[in-house]
Amino acid sequence: MLNRRDTLKSLLLGTAALSTGIALPWRAFAQQDERFPNPLKIPPLLEGNVVDGLRHYDLRLQEGVSQFLPGLSTPTWGINGDYLGPTIRMRDGEKVRLNVHNALPEDTSMHWHGFLVPAVCDGGPAQVIHPGSTWSPEFTVLQGATTNWYHSHLMHATGPQVYKGLAGMIVVEDADSGRLEMPSDYGVDDIPVIVQDREFNADGSFRYVSEYAGMIQGIQGDTILVNGTLHPHFVATTRTVRLRILNASNARTYQFAFADERSFTQIASDGGLLEAPLPRTRMILAPAERAEILVDVSDGREALLVSHGLVSTYGEYPGAMSQLVRSMDTQSFEILAIRPQSALAPSPIVPAQLRQIARLDPSQAVSTRPVRLMMGHGMRSGEDNGPHSGMRTGFGGGFGGGNYSINGRHHNMAFVNERVPLGDIEIWELQNTSPLTHPVHIHNIHFQVLDRNGVPPPPEERGLKDTVRVLSGETVRVILRFEHYRDPETPYMYHCHMLEHEDRGMMAQFVVV
Ligand SMILES: [Cu+2]
């Protein structure tokens, strides 16, 4: 809708440009078009079909070929397409069935990240989908309005499979969020932003981790794709745009901001809406973390989403380890150019209160469980429980290369690390004794962050979370209560979400009893 101010502005700009020929916004846009030439791809919405009260979704995991780089093709994997998958839309309270067909040449699995589901439906390493077969978990959507995702979780191969493209977004809506006045027109003012770093070989194929540095740092790609789009731009048609940002990178942490330092409003984190909108200028997201933000583009200027490199706090010591750790996540990137068209439709005003979160009381906690994130040292790196980890299979080397563990144990599918009683309030103490930051994800839960080294968390971590950064030397205490689905036989995972760490053993499992 064109209002008087917009009309005046476009008239003024047009006249000025004609009369003087100086570089006004439209001309600047022409230059920027060359820097961000590609329209942002919007993954198709998958709404499913209701049959007998059950909403069915069909997902086909398949090989494909993608064009990311000019003139080059990239062999990729995708879900119902060549790369990544559709955005699955679900409604809170609905019963769903996902038919996941594996048309790939390898085993895989499909995990519903952020979902509260029975353990047999979780899609972890135990729920392998063999080539040619279909896995059809059924569950009731329980978790309220949230931005979630789905991705491969195959033992020792999650990193390479997600890297090839086995991931997508899941948006859950509920009645409460529907009542809030919020941009919610998918692909128009409610935009999925799936951020991934990749590295390319000269022939256009993805280059996956092959060197020692990659074992430590995980993937640190030099090229950013957003929804599988290189150098993307999005044309805004509304005054406010809602971005659902998902860090679907294997191992890179981003520090998002806008190039002109404009502030934006965070409204949600992993587990749904925050209690109140949070004005921000910077926002750090580790792998698997999500955030929903509102960006005001009513000034008519391009909003360029960037990521500023992080500054390492790790000390400088002799040897390779210190250099590798200190160089992680230090690169800066331009991510996505948002270009408002000249006439912008009005957007809703954000409500001052978004939701109320009932806090779990630490004094009610029945038990406290230590979760120590560890990297072994030197020759101990040969000690392991599986292939592709430890010196015996050639992934070792000094400084604990390839030796990641939780509480001193590599992930072992035959060993259940914790048995958690249904309904108990518990505190999990995530202690990072290693030199790197690790984002810890716990399946089947929205937890609350109590504190970091005894200090209450910042406001962006006071919503519900399923993945939390734990910096080197930190202890992050989270409080949780499993309220659904007792199953003493089938474990859920908790692990570092840097996929190269997870694949090399920084993962453990618990059952709800
Ligand atoms: Cu890690």
Side-chain angles (χ1 to χ4, degrees):
M1 218 173 294
L2 207 65
N3 68 20
R4 188 172 160 274
R5 200 170 125 240
D6 287 325
T7 313
L8 276 176
K9 191 162 58 183
S10 58
L11 281 173
L12 283 171
L13 288 178
T15 315
L18 279 176
S19 58
T20 65
I22 58 170
L24 282 164
W26 66 271
R27 196 174 280 274
F29 280 6
Q31 286 165 3
Q32 285 156 2
D33 271 333
E34 289 153 27
R35 291 180 56 222
F36 299 94
N38 302 315
L40 177 70
K41 290 176 191 159
I42 304 292
L45 257 190
L46 189 67
E47 302 268 17
N49 298 306
V50 178
V51 182
D52 297 333
L54 194 60
R55 189 175 287 273
H56 292 245
Y57 300 89
D58 293 327
L59 300 174
R60 186 175 192 274
L61 318 185
Q62 59 195 41
E63 295 177 287
V65 177
S66 299
Q67 268 72 44
F68 301 118
L69 308 174
L72 290 172
S73 295
T74 307
T76 48
W77 286 6
I79 301 131
N80 300 355
D82 289 308
Y83 184 72
L84 299 178
T87 297
I88 302 174
R89 186 146 70 185
M90 296 182 179
R91 285 151 195 82
D92 194 55
E94 256 193 354
K95 282 185 155 180
V96 299
R97 174 189 172 102
L98 295 123
N99 301 307
V100 188
H101 180 71
N102 181 4
L104 294 165
E106 297 175 18
D107 284 352
T108 188
S109 80
M110 194 49 70
H111 169 55
W112 321 110
H113 184 123
F115 273 73
L116 315 181
V117 292
V120 292
C121 299
D122 191 47
Q127 285 95 44
V128 175
I129 316 170
H130 300 297
S133 68
T134 301
W135 177 61
S136 297
E138 279 181 30
F139 53 86
T140 301
V141 181
L142 286 177
Q143 66 225 57
T146 37
T147 299
N148 310 278
W149 62 308
Y150 57 110
H151 61 79
S152 159
H153 210 309
L154 189 69
M155 187 74 181
H156 299 308
T158 299
Q161 294 199 346
V162 171
Y163 198 73
K164 286 175 190 163
L166 284 194
M169 186 175 277
I170 308 179
V171 173
V172 176
E173 293 175 343
D174 68 11
D176 286 345
S177 67
R179 275 193 290 274
L180 292 176
E181 288 269 316
M182 204 78 90
S184 54
D185 195 352
Y186 182 80
V188 178
D189 61 4
D190 184 352
I191 313 299
V193 177
I194 303 173
V195 182
Q196 299 177 304
D197 58 336
R198 292 291 182 268
E199 217 171 301
F200 291 89
N201 294 309
D203 65 358
S205 61
F206 283 148
R207 181 205 300 270
Y208 190 63
V209 56
S210 55
E211 290 159 5
Y212 174 70
M215 306 295 155
I216 300 294
Q217 300 177 322
I219 287 289
Q220 294 267 290
D222 57 7
T223 304
I224 300 295
L225 300 177
V226 183
N227 303 343
T229 323
L230 180 76
H231 302 150
H233 71 263
F234 174 77
V235 177
T237 57
T238 56
R239 292 171 162 261
T240 303
V241 180
R242 176 190 199 167
L243 305 181
R244 296 177 188 260
I245 304 180
L246 158 63
N247 180 354
S249 304
N250 280 31
R252 182 181 289 285
T253 293
Y254 300 90
Q255 179 175 215
F256 293 108
F258 287 91
D260 59 5
E261 292 290 330
R262 76 177 65 198
S263 71
F264 54 91
T265 306
Q266 185 178 353
I267 54 170
S269 61
D270 306 338
L273 293 171
L274 302 175
E275 291 191 294
L278 179 65
R280 306 194 70 179
T281 53
R282 304 264 168 137
M283 182 175 74
I284 294 177
L285 290 185
E289 285 190 300
R290 290 88 70 205
E292 295 176 30
I293 66 170
L294 300 176
V295 188
D296 184 340
V297 293
S298 60
D299 64 359
R301 301 164 70 97
E302 178 180 278
L304 177 58
L305 182 68
V306 299
S307 173
H308 294 296
L310 294 167
V311 177
S312 174
T313 54
Y314 189 64
E316 250 187 285
Y317 303 103
M321 187 57 157
S322 167
Q323 288 311 309
L324 287 175
V325 172
R326 286 174 58 78
S327 67
M328 282 187 68
D329 300 321
T330 52
Q331 296 90 331
S332 296
F333 294 99
E334 293 178 331
I335 307 282
L336 169 66
I338 301 171
R339 297 184 181 145
Q341 67 177 26
S342 60
L344 295 170
S347 294
I349 307 293
V350 200
Q353 176 87 31
L354 299 173
R355 79 189 294 189
Q356 285 204 303
I357 295 173
R359 300 284 154 190
L360 295 176
D361 178 358
S363 73
Q364 303 287 305
V366 177
S367 46
T368 297
R369 294 178 198 269
V371 178
R372 286 189 303 278
L373 308 161
M374 304 166 77
M375 292 166 63
H377 294 283
M379 297 306 285
R380 291 198 60 234
S381 61
E383 187 185 327
D384 75 90
N385 284 310
H388 309 305
S389 61
M391 186 172 273
R392 290 170 205 163
T393 47
F395 281 98
F399 307 104
N403 185 26
Y404 298 96
S405 68
I406 289 180
N407 293 335
R409 278 182 176 274
H410 291 271
H411 182 248
N412 180 344
M413 285 178 70
F415 183 81
V416 173
N417 303 68
E418 305 287 346
R419 304 173 67 81
V420 184
L422 185 76
D424 276 6
I425 294 178
E426 297 201 345
I427 294 169
W428 289 24
E429 280 185 351
L430 316 176
Q431 308 164 7
N432 186 351
T433 65
S434 86
L436 309 185
T437 299
H438 301 283
V440 175
H441 172 45
I442 307 175
H443 286 211
N444 190 46
I445 195 74
H446 294 156
F447 55 70
Q448 298 171 12
V449 180
L450 282 177
D451 46 42
R452 292 180 169 274
N453 286 346
V455 178
E460 65 268 23
E461 289 186 328
R462 290 184 203 153
L464 300 178
K465 295 281 291 168
D466 59 51
T467 306
V468 66
R469 301 169 76 218
V470 186
L471 274 57
S472 177
E474 262 187 343
T475 296
V476 175
R477 295 196 313 152
V478 303
I479 189 164
L480 49 77
R481 174 172 56 194
F482 294 94
E483 296 177 73
H484 312 278
Y485 311 126
R486 178 184 280 122
D487 181 351
E489 304 301 322
T490 315
Y492 298 99
M493 304 298 127
Y494 58 109
H495 58 90
C496 174
H497 219 288
M498 291 170 69
L499 301 181
E500 287 69 37
H501 293 181
E502 171 192 331
D503 279 345
R504 289 174 175 78
M506 194 175 271
M507 178 156 70
Q509 47 190 8
F510 65 95
V511 288
V512 177
V513 298

